[in-house]
Amino acid sequence: MQKFLIHGGKKLNGTINVECAKNAYLPILASTILCEEEIVLKNCPDFTDIKNMIIILENLGITVYKKDDELHINGAEASFCFIPSELAKVLRSSIFALGALLGRFKKAKVAYPGGCDIGLRPIDLHLKGLKDLGVKIVECHGYINCDASEMKGGLVHLDYPSVGATENLIMAGVLNSGTTTIVNCAKEPEIVDLQNFLNNLGAKITGAGTDTIVITGVKKLHGGSWTPISDRIIAGTFLIATAMAGGEVEICNVIPQHFSSLIDKLQKSGCKIEQKDDKIFVVCNSRLESVGFLETMPYPGFPTDLQAQMLALQTVCKGSSLIQENLFETRFKFVPELIKMGANVKVNQRTAYINGVDKLFGADVYSTDLRGGVALVLAGLCAQGYTTVHDIYHIDRGYAFIEKTLSSLGANIQRID
Ligand code: EPZ
């Protein structure tokens, strides 16, 4: 199993580019099931989650080939509407295919999804919404059997603004008869990107980015090309990496307003951050003040996907802080690994209490999930001595060779077998 060997203490200096967003690319890939003509997706990042979503599409009879960093996708020959557990369990976004399969084929049999071990991650909101649109669903033996022969437009009121449920219901509505309205939906930028992508293919969707989305069903979609938005979580990760290791980094191909909640917190802690168009410039050469209190919320609140990285930063800030994780019930699993490095953190259910220490010390640590794993890498950058981060396959799901990007900024990090 590969691991990262990090020799801490090196500052980060230089310029990096941020890839397209994993959490935009994945629903967009799932939504290509709805289209029977060629689609070209540009700037495809080298994330394992994307590779695994492509395998799911190919398993449905969709042709996908990569030409440089472009994905050429054609769903004309798609005919299967079955996703076996060995494919579905590999990633959360396998469930996003359900809405698209029902929109295209009016039936589907999919296994329960997998994804990061950060909570129970039920799909009740997805299924309740589809039932509200007339889909008949039978769950048995770990499979979700759906009959959408009588699916039609209607009103779905989400009990919680679930990102995945919102995206699934958008896809179910695109080729649906009538109008589908989703109330109390998620407002993440990746949902706006999904709307814009599908409208570019001839769909009729309005309201993404607000709490009500309306989809007017159309007969068919035509082909087209698209470049998904920049990954706000990767951008935020490198902002926090610079805050922890110190240095001066320019981060290009970003949309600063998509992570303004983080920028605000870091500036208040003492980071110098300037924004210009699609670039952000961060300078940090002194120990930061702690954030005090932070809680994760649905967008535009502080993103849960930056919680682990922010917690790692707090372990070396001046003062104490409290972080409340409101979205996922077990998203502090990486904390014991930080404690091995000398962090002073206490966790009680969804609340972490952090007392900043002068320094962390290198240790053998184990990734527990994608963002918890990258938080350990950030800790290793500023720890004294050597840190080995194991189980880095978690990290590769959402970062493309992060060791190369960090090395280009001056970090001493290498991938070893
Ligand atoms: C998406 O997951 C992202 N994944 C997650 O990113 C992100 O953390 C999350 O949204 C929140 O922003 C992708 O887009 C592929 P949710 P999703 O449905 O759709 C509960 C990363 O690190 N819930 O908004 O699964 C759920 O348990 C990943 O890139 C239900 O109760 O998130 C959670 O507590 C991790 N029933 C809350 O809602 C449901 O049917 C938010 O989940 C669905 C969700």
Side-chain angles (χ1 to χ4, degrees), residues 10 26 46 71 88 101 123-124 135 148 154 166 176 185 218 228 255 263 294 310 364 394 398 411:
K10 306 281 186 290
L26 290 170
D46 209 348
L71 286 185
L101 286 169
I123 55 169
D124 57 314
V135 179
T166 301
N176 198 2
C185 53
V218 295
I255 307 171
I263 293 169
L294 178 76
M310 196 64 169
D364 255 305
H394 287 291

Side-chain angles (χ1 to χ4, degrees), residues 164-203:
T166 301
E167 292 166 339
N168 231 336
L169 291 164
I170 287 173
M171 292 186 239
V174 166
L175 301 178
N176 198 2
S177 62
T179 299
T180 303
T181 302
I182 312 166
V183 176
N184 191 34
C185 53
K187 298 183 266 195
E188 272 68 3
E190 293 77 20
I191 294 171
V192 178
D193 203 34
L194 177 64
Q195 169 186 276
N196 295 340
F197 164 72
L198 288 167
N199 284 347
N200 179 47
L201 304 185

Side-chain angles (χ1 to χ4, degrees), residues 22-23 92 121-125 162-164 305 327 371:
K22 168 177 83 74
N23 293 348
R92 173 73 179 176
R121 308 194 77 182
I123 55 169
D124 57 314
L125 298 176
S162 154
V163 171
D305 294 347
L327 277 79
R371 309 300 177 183

Side-chain angles (χ1 to χ4, degrees), residues 15 47 60 65 97 105 120 163 175 204 254 307 337 347 362 374:
T15 299
F47 304 147
L60 297 171
Y65 74 89
F105 298 112
L120 286 173
V163 171
L175 301 178
K204 289 196 173 73
V254 296
Q307 176 262 101
E337 301 304 306
V347 169
V374 83

Side-chain angles (χ1 to χ4, degrees), residues 37-56:
E37 296 181 14
E38 180 170 85
I39 292 167
V40 178
L41 297 181
K42 301 187 176 186
N43 296 3
C44 181
D46 209 348
F47 304 147
T48 48
D49 266 9
I50 288 182
K51 293 190 177 92
N52 288 319
M53 180 56 100
I54 290 169
I55 291 169
I56 287 176

